[in-house]
Amino acid sequence: MSKQRICPFCGKELNQYNGRHIYKCKMRDMNLTKEQIKLKYLQFNFGDNILDDVCNDYEHLYSLPMLREKYSIDSKSVCFLLKLKNIKPRTFSESAKMISQEKFK
């Protein structure tokens, strides 16, 4: 079960229908870029420690589905964090060779 997400600027509860609210919220700093807004949202809802743990786990061969299950964070957010930390995402082929084959054995 996933935790309810909250707008870091006004405290409004977000769901699948109003998830874009954070970009349109009237209480946010209007000088923030989309990347800064998304980072503030992730920091507010998950905390800095978990965001660092997600990147560390990814580097230690966790797959996106494993991260989603462990932290209840969506794959797009994980990809955003990887890009932010300059971590190259794995291709399907790399993932299959590094993770899937070992699990199969």
Side-chain angles (χ1 to χ4, degrees):
M1 182 170 157
S2 64
K3 179 184 132 194
Q4 183 67 36
R5 308 294 184 233
I6 299 171
C7 174
F9 308 109
C10 68
K12 179 179 180 176
E13 288 187 3
L14 304 175
N15 59 37
Q16 64 183 3
Y17 303 111
N18 67 354
R20 307 263 324 137
H21 165 80
I22 61 171
Y23 301 108
K24 298 175 183 178
C25 183
K26 303 282 188 230
M27 297 184 78
R28 72 173 172 83
D29 180 0
M30 296 301 168
N31 295 322
L32 294 175
T33 65
K34 279 190 169 187
E35 288 80 18
Q36 292 170 326
I37 293 170
K38 179 136 184 163
L39 182 59
K40 284 197 179 293
Y41 165 78
L42 291 172
Q43 288 171 331
F44 185 81
N45 284 286
F46 295 99
D48 287 327
N49 294 339
I50 291 178
L51 300 182
D52 291 335
D53 291 346
V54 167
C55 292
N56 289 335
D57 285 349
Y58 183 83
E59 289 179 322
H60 289 98
L61 301 182
Y62 274 63
S63 64
L64 291 179
M66 291 165 68
L67 291 171
R68 182 177 54 239
E69 184 178 318
K70 183 175 180 180
Y71 297 106
S72 299
I73 188 169
D74 60 292
S75 298
K76 286 178 103 175
S77 295
V78 172
C79 291
F80 170 78
L81 291 171
L82 295 175
K83 182 179 176 185
L84 192 69
K85 303 251 183 192
N86 293 321
I87 300 171
K88 183 181 174 279
R90 292 186 287 270
T91 64
F92 288 116
S93 177
E94 290 170 338
S95 182
K97 288 176 186 172
M98 296 166 68
I99 300 170
S100 300
Q101 286 180 352
E102 290 300 316
K103 284 184 180 178
F104 182 72
K105 289 179 184 176

